[in-house]
């Protein structure tokens, strides 16, 4: 196969990764932007979404699409409920102190990870996609007779991967509408800008924090539901999403939702393309180097605000 079709296939893989990464990093960015909490356990809520999807798929009989639709609702709600409980039982009692919450979320990380290991086991387990038709993609080239259409061998994708990209875009647009056009979004933005002033106007900051922590975990779990039919559910799978989410949030700007989405596209696409042509390790090295450059030359990130 020529370089052009290879590049397009790598770009499609990168687009799938970018779509899932945008949802995962959005949850992390939201929690930091509103609560000023660095949630080190964010990757474990992603892992919980994948494991919950496997459990739902294993107990609901019939067509895989039925279990998948159920998991789209159950897994994010389950992760959000655990996050809200963790907020009430742990984060609230350390008064959301930045240093203390890092230690607290590390503890939450190990508790969740070991609980899943004891109940789910160490095996990586697949989840059947709701649909997975193979789609052959055409390629155009200029030949002796002009523009020619042909189908290179092995050049194609699956309907489910295209669905993941479309579903992530739909969720991101829905979140933007929620955050920018609704009363709830106004409350979130007010709390993000000034906690004390929001409290003076009658906003229950504690309830907002619980909601935001649950929403961030729910977004991570939702991303996992979308990707687990392509990957596999495993109790250690939260590490890479957490690392890449931190990279995305730093590059995009801490607390900037627009920056998070833009950075997720950059990192996800580059990770997919470099992983296909070279190696996944090289992709992670380049992403880490990019973070170092951003911290040196633009510490606030691409869309972050300079500290006043």
């Amino acid at each position: 196969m020529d370089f052009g079709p290879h590049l397009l296939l790598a770009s499609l893989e990168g687009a799938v990764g970018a779509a899932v990464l945008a949802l995962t990093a959005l949850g992390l960015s939201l929690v930091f932007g509103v609560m000023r909490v660095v949630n080190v356990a964010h990757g474990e809520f992603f892992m919980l979404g994948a494991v919950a999807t496997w459990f739902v798929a294993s107990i609901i009989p019939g067509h895989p699409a039925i279990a998948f639709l159920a998991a789209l609702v159950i897994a994010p709600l389950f992760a959000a409920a655990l996050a809200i409980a963790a907020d009430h039982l742990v984060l609230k009692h350390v008064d959301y102190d930045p240093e203390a919450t890092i230690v607290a979320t590390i503890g939450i990380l190990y508790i969740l990870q070991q609980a899943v290991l004891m109940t789910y086991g160490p095996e990586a387990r697949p989840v059947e996609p709701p649909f997975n038709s193979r789609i052959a993609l055409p390629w155009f080239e200029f030949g002796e007779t002009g523009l020619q259409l042909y189908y290179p061998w092995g050049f194609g994708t699956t309907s489910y991967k295209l669905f993941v990209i479309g579903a992530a875009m739909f969720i991101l647009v829905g979140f933007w509408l929620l955050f920018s056009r609704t009363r709830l979004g106004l409350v979130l933005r007010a709390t993000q800008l000034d906690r004390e002033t929001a409290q003076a106007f009658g906003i229950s900051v504690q309830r907002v924090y619980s909601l935001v922590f649950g929403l961030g975990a729910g977004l991570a779990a939702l991303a996992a539901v979308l990707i687990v039919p392509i990957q596999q559910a495993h109790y250690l799978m939260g590490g890479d999403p957490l690392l890449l989410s931190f990279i995305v949030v730093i590059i995009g700007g801490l607390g900037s939702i627009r920056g998070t989405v833009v950075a997720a596209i950059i990192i996800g696409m580059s990770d997919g393309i470099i992983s296909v042509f070279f190696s996944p390790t090289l992709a992670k090295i380049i992403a880490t180097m990019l973070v170092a450059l951003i911290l040196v030359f633009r510490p606030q990130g691409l869309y972050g605000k300079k500290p006043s």
Side-chain angles (χ1 to χ4, degrees), residues 18 33 48 66 144 183-184 194 201 213 224 229 245 277:
L48 282 177
I66 300 174
E144 297 179 355
R183 179 177 175 81
L184 175 60
D194 193 320
F201 276 89
F213 202 66
S245 294
F277 283 102

Side-chain angles (χ1 to χ4, degrees), residues 10 19 32 34 47 49 66 70 77 121 158 177 186 212 216-217 219 273:
F32 180 84
V34 176
M47 177 269 293
I66 300 174
L77 290 178
T158 64
L177 291 174
L186 179 63
V212 166
L219 284 170
I273 293 172

Side-chain angles (χ1 to χ4, degrees), residues 169-183:
M169 292 175 61
F170 178 80
I171 294 168
L172 289 171
V173 171
F175 180 84
W176 174 77
L177 291 174
L178 172 71
F179 197 74
S180 62
R181 303 295 176 88
T182 66
R183 179 177 175 81

Side-chain angles (χ1 to χ4, degrees), residues 24 28 39-51 105 108-109 112-113 216-217 220-221 224 234-246:
T24 310
L28 186 66
N39 183 15
V40 184
H42 191 69
E44 303 316 301
F45 290 112
F46 179 94
M47 177 269 293
L48 282 177
V51 171
T105 53
I108 294 171
L109 181 157
L112 293 177
Q113 191 179 95
H234 189 261
Y235 84 103
L236 291 176
M237 69 183 299
D240 278 351
L242 176 65
L243 173 63
L244 290 175
S245 294
F246 272 124

Side-chain angles (χ1 to χ4, degrees), residues 16-60:
V16 174
V20 174
L21 179 57
L23 290 178
T24 310
L26 181 61
L28 186 66
S29 179
L30 177 68
V31 169
F32 180 84
V34 176
M35 302 173 63
R36 296 296 186 266
V37 168
V38 178
N39 183 15
V40 184
H42 191 69
E44 303 316 301
F45 290 112
F46 179 94
M47 177 269 293
L48 282 177
V51 171
T53 302
W54 181 86
F55 273 112
V56 171
S58 65
I59 62 176
I60 296 182

Side-chain angles (χ1 to χ4, degrees), residues 6-212:
H6 271 299
L7 180 60
L8 182 56
L9 281 179
S11 299
L12 284 172
E13 293 298 319
V16 174
V20 174
L21 179 57
L23 290 178
T24 310
L26 181 61
L28 186 66
S29 179
L30 177 68
V31 169
F32 180 84
V34 176
M35 302 173 63
R36 296 296 186 266
V37 168
V38 178
N39 183 15
V40 184
H42 191 69
E44 303 316 301
F45 290 112
F46 179 94
M47 177 269 293
L48 282 177
V51 171
T53 302
W54 181 86
F55 273 112
V56 171
S58 65
I59 62 176
I60 296 182
H63 196 278
I66 300 174
F68 179 77
L69 290 174
L72 281 175
V73 177
I74 295 173
L77 290 178
F78 174 65
L82 286 180
I84 291 172
D87 174 71
H88 279 281
L89 295 174
V90 181
L91 301 184
K92 176 182 176 181
H93 293 283
V94 297
D95 199 27
Y96 304 100
D97 176 75
E99 290 80 10
T101 51
I102 291 176
V103 177
T105 53
I106 290 175
I108 294 171
L109 181 157
Y110 283 112
I111 290 172
L112 293 177
Q113 191 179 95
Q114 294 306 307
V116 171
L117 175 61
M118 290 188 294
T119 56
Y120 174 79
E123 300 87 5
R125 302 177 185 179
V127 174
E128 187 177 356
F131 48 86
N132 204 32
S133 303
R134 187 73 184 174
I135 300 176
L137 299 176
W139 185 253
F140 297 90
E141 281 192 357
F142 283 98
E144 297 179 355
T145 59
L147 188 64
Q148 297 178 345
L149 168 66
Y150 70 104
Y151 290 85
W153 181 84
F155 182 48
T157 187
T158 64
S159 56
Y160 183 73
K161 288 182 178 180
L162 296 180
F163 166 77
V164 170
I165 298 172
M169 292 175 61
F170 178 80
I171 294 168
L172 289 171
V173 171
F175 180 84
W176 174 77
L177 291 174
L178 172 71
F179 197 74
S180 62
R181 303 295 176 88
T182 66
R183 179 177 175 81
L184 175 60
L186 179 63
V187 170
L188 295 180
R189 285 182 279 124
T191 307
Q192 178 179 8
L193 289 173
D194 193 320
R195 170 182 173 177
E196 286 75 20
T197 303
Q199 202 162 15
F201 276 89
I203 295 175
S204 175
V205 172
Q206 176 58 53
R207 289 185 180 180
V208 171
Y209 280 5
S210 294
L211 174 65
V212 166

